[in-house]
Amino acid sequence: MKIIKCRDFGFNCDFIATGSAAEADSVIQKMLVHIKEAHEGLSDEDLADIKARMSVPLSRGCGCGAL
């Protein structure tokens, strides 16, 4: 299971994108779509930075934050 939390990127938001390990690209896309829609005012540079940092939370086992 792959899990990314919006809070992983500094937003005060409870959105969580999930998917199987084979769907990691889909999980990233879900999160990017959410961030673009829910957190307006971000530049393309900001979004590129967030996307680049997504590999760290995706590498967690369960997303519980204990790892």
Side-chain angles (χ1 to χ4, degrees), residues 7-25:
R7 290 185 185 273
D8 292 335
F9 307 104
F11 298 105
N12 185 16
C13 176
D14 293 327
F15 182 81
I16 298 173
T18 63
S20 69
E23 300 172 327
D25 290 337

Side-chain angles (χ1 to χ4, degrees), residues 18-34:
T18 63
S20 69
E23 300 172 327
D25 290 337
S26 175
V27 174
I28 289 171
Q29 276 306 114
K30 288 177 196 176
M31 182 55 71
L32 287 173
V33 167
H34 164 75

Side-chain angles (χ1 to χ4, degrees), residues 22-57:
E23 300 172 327
D25 290 337
S26 175
V27 174
I28 289 171
Q29 276 306 114
K30 288 177 196 176
M31 182 55 71
L32 287 173
V33 167
H34 164 75
I35 289 173
K36 288 177 187 177
E37 292 176 355
H39 306 290
E40 297 174 0
L42 295 172
S43 69
D44 290 338
E45 186 177 295
D46 293 333
L47 292 171
D49 178 59
I50 290 168
K51 184 176 181 180
R53 294 185 295 151
M54 286 189 181
S55 63
V56 174

